[in-house]
Amino acid sequence: MIKTIRYKDEEFFKMLYCCGVITEYGLQLMKVSSYKLNLYKVNNMIDVVYENGIKGYKLTSKSKKIMSKKYGLKKSYTYRSIRHCSKLQEIYLNLDLERYKWITENEALLLINDKINLSCKYNKRALIYVDISPVDAIVVDRETNVAYGIEIISPSYRERDLNKKEKFLKILDIEAIFIEC
């Protein structure tokens, strides 16, 4: 049983919170032992997921509640597929998190809502953005405050899907980085 969540555990759960899944690649980068992984499974902190023979792990409802209570994290990245989430994992784990802040897709929705509400308040007219879609993550340089929207795209993306993402980024006035998976 896990009695105390240590720094390494915290980093592991934050990564899953931000990316949705961890694969073997991520486990190696984070140096997560098989003992610790089994401990997380036994304590119902992670679930095993499979896709095309690739194994990954995602947060359980229980661990999301712990993250919310302990760290105030309420809007975790929603797991979609190993293929999609593992690209986010790759970016996240190779990013200098001391320099860059990571904002999840669900947290980005809060940003856009704040921006739209603020705009409506000061323009005194209703702004309706029906045809937008948040990007997978936003990375903000803590030194310069420059933000980049990250979107993982698959071959099934249509022009209409990309346009919704671009509208979202335009409202927030940030640049896009589109990465194929």
Side-chain angles (χ1 to χ4, degrees), residues 37-54:
L37 202 56
N38 285 330
L39 195 58
Y40 296 148
K41 284 191 284 186
V42 167
N43 283 279
N44 194 29
M45 303 293 284
I46 57 173
D47 282 331
V48 180
V49 290
Y50 294 94
E51 182 181 300
N52 297 329
I54 299 171

Side-chain angles (χ1 to χ4, degrees), residues 18-19 77 80 84-95 97 100-105 108 133-140 147-153 157 162 165 168-169 172 174-180:
C18 290
C19 302
Y77 187 78
R80 291 192 176 90
H84 185 271
C85 293
S86 66
K87 279 292 187 186
L88 276 180
Q89 163 201 250
E90 188 176 326
I91 296 163
Y92 182 89
L93 291 174
N94 288 295
L95 197 65
L97 293 172
Y100 296 97
K101 177 181 178 184
W102 185 278
I103 299 170
T104 67
E105 180 180 51
S133 179
V135 290
D136 292 315
I138 297 173
V139 175
V140 182
Y148 301 94
I150 299 172
E151 181 63 26
I152 309 300
I153 58 173
Y157 263 60
L162 293 174
K165 304 289 181 185
F168 178 86
L169 294 165
L172 290 178
I174 59 178
E175 294 295 316
I177 300 172
F178 292 102
I179 300 165
E180 289 186 37

